[in-house]
Amino acid sequence: MPILHAYDGTELAYRLLGEGVPLICLPGGPMGAGGYLGDLGGLSARRQLVVLDRRGTGESAVPDDPSTYRRDRLVDDVEALREHLGQERVDLLAHSASAGLAALYAARHPQRLRSLVLIAPGTRAVGTEVTGQDRRGAGELRRDEPRYAAGRGAPEATRPGRDAGEVTSAAEPFTHGRRDARAHAATTSGQTDSGAARVHCRDGAFDPTATAAALRDVTAPVLVLAGEYDGGPTPDRAAELAALFPNAEFAVQRGAAHYPWLDDPGAFVRTVEAFLDPDVLSVQAGGIRLAHRAWGDPSAPPVVLVHGRCGDSRTWTRIAGHLADAHRVYAFDFRGHGLSDWPGRYSFELFRDDLHAFLEARNLAGATVVGHSMGAAAACLLAEREPGLIGRLVLEEPPPPFPLDPPRGPAERPDEELDFDWPVVPSTDAQLNEPDPEWWGRIGSITAPTLVIGGGPAGRIAQRGLARMAERIPRGRFVTIDAGHLVHTGRPDEFLAELRAFGLA
């Protein structure tokens, strides 16, 4: 393992996992070794994880002076690691009790912080104590689980900062959301140095009033991620911590407890990756976290680009770059796609609701909406239900609301890793085979000027059906670009020319 020397000469060990921009990772415990973090659910495939074994834990050396275990003094070790890595500013991730250390680092060295990720964070450093009532309330959420009764009498064992290897079997149901995650945590967990832990929180380690005040001046973006079932902290306590930062994003991982990267690795990585990517923004819309990208002057007329099934916002990058000369352009990932939440339930109506919620969350009433395939269907359904919400409407190869002939048979999931949630496919195939008759019945209620773009004979959609859609829409027009189903990627120049003719600069 690589080694660095702290300010007092103590040798500190750290692990490097993956490649890319470094992400310093601080384990909880308190004073636990970093091994239990593993690769953080696969986050190492996106970033280089720099996992520190704090002094006296794991492979790091025991210091000559035990008082250096105190949390406020450990800030200097984090700063030494930053200097050792040669980074002017760092991205910092902290789990559980180490969130207090990260908060102290942010308060003392705000200019060295590029971003901060706090996972199931301890809140003692800012004066918020997790109570027995908090832990019992979290336990009540699990009361229908078979192991709940056995753990009910030991809520104190679930206090924040306890390492998974120390938690009693009675308390296990409260620290992990899934049974198999509990088993994994038990085998990968690092051991906490109990002597160091006692010094870690010794009197003088905290000044909650001063720390809370200092955090209000931290301008770096902050993500606070809580587990739905965590009792230390509960989502409410974690939200209180997030509120102290002026530029914080708060997220709750469904079905997760104190180790969210074990309970649902995909959900954890998508949330953290979206936050760490400077080109990706996130918004809570209708209870779903929707990741999105934006281009152009924020004061320019808005255009919202919505992708097709199994795609994501990146499919619009070239088109967005051109439109951004005269517009503020947004492209978001629908639920179940890309870096947005994957809740597991999907339908065209739910995608319609995603678009509606996104427009409301970003205050984009009157925007031009350009949708492809599934996204076009969602936009069409929204324009039917909310006349006047969409200023102009472009429907690229939308599935017309007629039963497929012949109907699609059962789809087989590919073996490779997917950038979308597979249940999207069978759920929407069923609706394409038997669409709601009201889709077609209400299409004449669309008031927005509408351009329907077909991909010609090579497209997946029957062009005659698209022509019928355009005829039924009072202000509709149909054009064909012989490009197949992916018109905006196959013939982008012609696609943009039709948008300009439709009134987009």
Side-chain angles (χ1 to χ4, degrees):
M1 291 178 63
I3 295 292
L4 71 131
H5 289 86
Y7 62 93
D8 60 351
T10 302
E11 291 188 343
L12 304 179
Y14 61 94
R15 296 170 180 82
L16 294 176
L17 302 172
E19 298 180 351
V21 179
L23 173 64
I24 294 177
C25 302
L26 304 179
M31 296 308 292
Y36 79 95
L37 294 175
D39 65 353
L40 285 173
L43 187 60
S44 60
R46 276 75 173 179
R47 298 290 293 265
Q48 183 182 63
L49 307 185
V50 184
V51 183
L52 179 66
D53 280 349
R54 285 169 293 177
R55 56 178 57 216
T57 71
E59 300 298 321
S60 290
V62 174
D64 294 331
D65 181 1
S67 70
T68 60
Y69 287 133
R70 211 173 70 173
R71 190 177 310 195
D72 57 328
R73 300 190 66 178
L74 293 175
V75 171
D76 292 331
D77 288 350
V78 180
E79 177 64 1
L81 177 56
R82 180 199 66 79
E83 293 177 346
H84 173 77
L85 296 174
Q87 299 290 308
E88 183 69 20
R89 296 189 302 155
V90 294
D91 299 311
L92 184 62
L93 179 148
H95 174 238
S96 190
S98 68
L101 171 57
L104 294 176
Y105 182 85
R108 193 181 302 176
H109 300 288
Q111 75 282 3
R112 298 301 187 190
L113 200 62
R114 183 165 50 232
S115 69
L116 178 61
V117 181
L118 302 177
I119 308 300
T123 55
R124 188 177 178 186
V126 295
T128 301
E129 295 286 349
V130 174
T131 67
Q133 183 176 353
D134 289 336
R135 293 190 284 274
R136 288 189 294 272
E140 286 292 329
L141 298 176
R142 320 288 293 279
R143 66 180 308 146
D144 293 332
E145 294 187 15
R147 302 178 73 185
Y148 169 78
R152 192 172 186 177
E156 71 281 356
T158 64
R159 69 178 183 270
R162 291 291 292 272
D163 184 83
E166 296 184 296
V167 175
T168 66
S169 59
E172 273 187 329
F174 306 106
T175 56
H176 299 88
R178 295 197 336 250
R179 185 181 296 271
D180 57 339
R182 298 168 202 159
H184 182 217
T187 60
T188 61
S189 176
Q191 297 298 312
T192 294
D193 184 319
S194 58
R198 285 191 291 270
V199 178
H200 187 248
C201 299
R202 183 171 290 171
D203 289 346
F206 303 107
D207 185 344
T209 301
T211 300
L215 295 184
R216 293 186 176 93
D217 295 327
V218 174
T219 58
V222 178
L223 170 66
V224 177
L225 175 61
E228 178 185 10
Y229 296 139
D230 196 2
T234 61
D236 287 346
R237 297 294 186 198
E240 292 174 10
L241 175 62
L244 295 177
F245 295 94
N247 190 18
E249 175 183 333
F250 175 64
V252 177
Q253 186 170 314
R254 292 182 178 87
H258 201 61
Y259 300 85
W261 67 92
L262 296 177
D263 291 325
D264 188 339
F268 175 82
V269 170
R270 285 189 296 274
T271 302
V272 177
E273 181 184 357
F275 171 75
L276 291 174
D277 188 334
D279 295 327
V280 177
L281 307 169
S282 290
V283 65
Q284 290 289 332
I288 300 293
R289 184 186 56 82
L290 297 176
H292 61 285
R293 295 170 168 83
W295 300 259
D297 185 346
S299 65
V303 174
V304 179
L305 308 175
V306 286
H307 64 82
R309 189 174 77 172
C310 309
D312 59 47
S313 55
R314 293 172 298 180
T315 186
W316 291 109
T317 300
R318 182 170 179 180
I319 298 299
H322 285 278
L323 293 177
D325 288 342
H327 298 87
R328 176 62 167 179
V329 184
Y330 300 88
F332 74 91
D333 296 346
F334 278 113
R335 68 177 68 201
H337 294 77
L339 297 178
S340 291
D341 284 345
W342 295 14
R345 293 180 56 252
Y346 307 102
S347 68
F348 285 107
E349 290 83 1
L350 288 173
F351 295 131
R352 171 202 64 197
D353 295 345
D354 284 349
L355 175 57
H356 192 181
F358 182 80
L359 293 176
E360 288 191 336
R362 302 297 307 190
N363 194 25
L364 296 175
T368 295
V369 175
V370 181
H372 171 242
S373 191
M374 180 192 79
C380 187
L381 291 175
L382 180 58
E384 289 179 356
R385 193 175 72 167
E386 299 287 343
L389 179 62
I390 296 174
R392 288 176 177 268
L393 182 61
V394 179
L395 306 175
E396 175 196 352
E397 283 274 299
F402 317 122
L404 291 180
D405 186 18
R408 291 183 181 174
E412 184 175 343
R413 189 193 188 284
D415 291 334
E416 67 267 18
E417 184 178 352
L418 303 176
D419 290 332
F420 63 93
D421 197 7
W422 175 250
V424 167
V425 174
S427 297
T428 51
D429 275 355
Q431 289 190 284
L432 292 172
N433 287 337
E434 296 185 30
D436 185 339
E438 291 191 7
W439 293 2
W440 179 246
R442 293 197 302 260
I443 200 168
S445 65
I446 296 176
T447 60
T450 302
L451 174 64
V452 180
I453 300 178
R460 296 180 188 173
I461 309 300
Q463 302 298 289
R464 182 174 60 181
L466 297 182
R468 287 181 63 192
M469 288 182 65
E471 291 171 1
R472 191 76 176 268
I473 297 172
R475 302 169 71 183
R477 181 165 68 90
F478 175 61
V479 298
T480 299
I481 300 174
D482 193 7
H485 190 57
L486 293 167
V487 181
H488 69 276
T489 58
R491 296 284 183 86
D493 292 338
E494 294 175 47
F495 184 83
L496 286 164
E498 291 295 345
L499 296 187
R500 286 192 293 270
F502 185 57
L504 274 72

